[in-house]
């Protein structure tokens, strides 16, 4: 399954991933500094949410592409059903 992200969608996903990358770096630094457990877990949870949101954005793009391709006639309803199953599996992997 190939996703064709538009420039705006790609930018949004990359921003979320960069945010998560910064948060993970912050968590590592906090652990190395011996920071409070609650602070570390709070920052780790924020990184996890950023990663989840990036994943959900990618899946939403896949769903939109699939629907558009069915409407254009470049995918059959059977293809759509297969794609739906694959996207559902991906969605559940993030849940």
């Amino acid at each position: 399954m190939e996703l064709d992200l538009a420039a705006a969608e790609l930018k949004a996903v990359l921003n979320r991933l960069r945010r998560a990358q910064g948060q993970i770096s912050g968590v590592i630094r906090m652990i190395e500094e011996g920071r409070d457990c609650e602070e570390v877990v709070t920052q780790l949870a924020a990184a996890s949410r950023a990663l989840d949101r990036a994943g959900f954005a990618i899946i939403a793009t896949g769903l939109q592409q699939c629907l558009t391709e069915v409407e254009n006639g470049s995918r059959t309803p059977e293809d759509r059903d297969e794609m739906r199953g694959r996207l559902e599996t991906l969605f559940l992997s993030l849940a």
Side-chain angles (χ1 to χ4, degrees), residues 2-86:
E2 184 178 321
L3 293 179
D4 181 26
L5 296 175
E9 294 165 335
L10 179 61
K11 183 178 179 181
V13 168
L14 290 174
N15 284 340
R16 289 179 193 270
L17 291 173
R18 286 188 183 105
R19 185 176 312 128
Q21 183 179 34
Q23 290 166 326
I24 291 169
S25 293
V27 168
I28 292 168
R29 192 171 40 259
M30 292 170 77
I31 291 170
E32 291 172 342
E33 295 170 355
R35 299 276 293 273
D36 179 68
C37 177
E38 187 176 342
E39 292 177 41
V40 172
V41 171
T42 299
Q43 190 67 21
L44 190 58
S48 179
R49 283 190 303 274
L51 288 172
D52 287 345
R53 288 183 179 137
F56 290 135
I58 291 169
I59 291 169
T61 299
L63 286 170
Q64 182 61 45
Q65 281 181 317
C66 183
L67 292 173
T68 301
E69 289 172 359
V70 169
E71 290 172 3
N72 293 346
S74 60
R75 280 197 189 264
T76 67
E78 293 79 20
D79 291 340
R80 182 194 62 201
D81 291 341
E82 178 189 344
M83 180 69 77
R84 181 182 178 273
R86 291 168 61 193

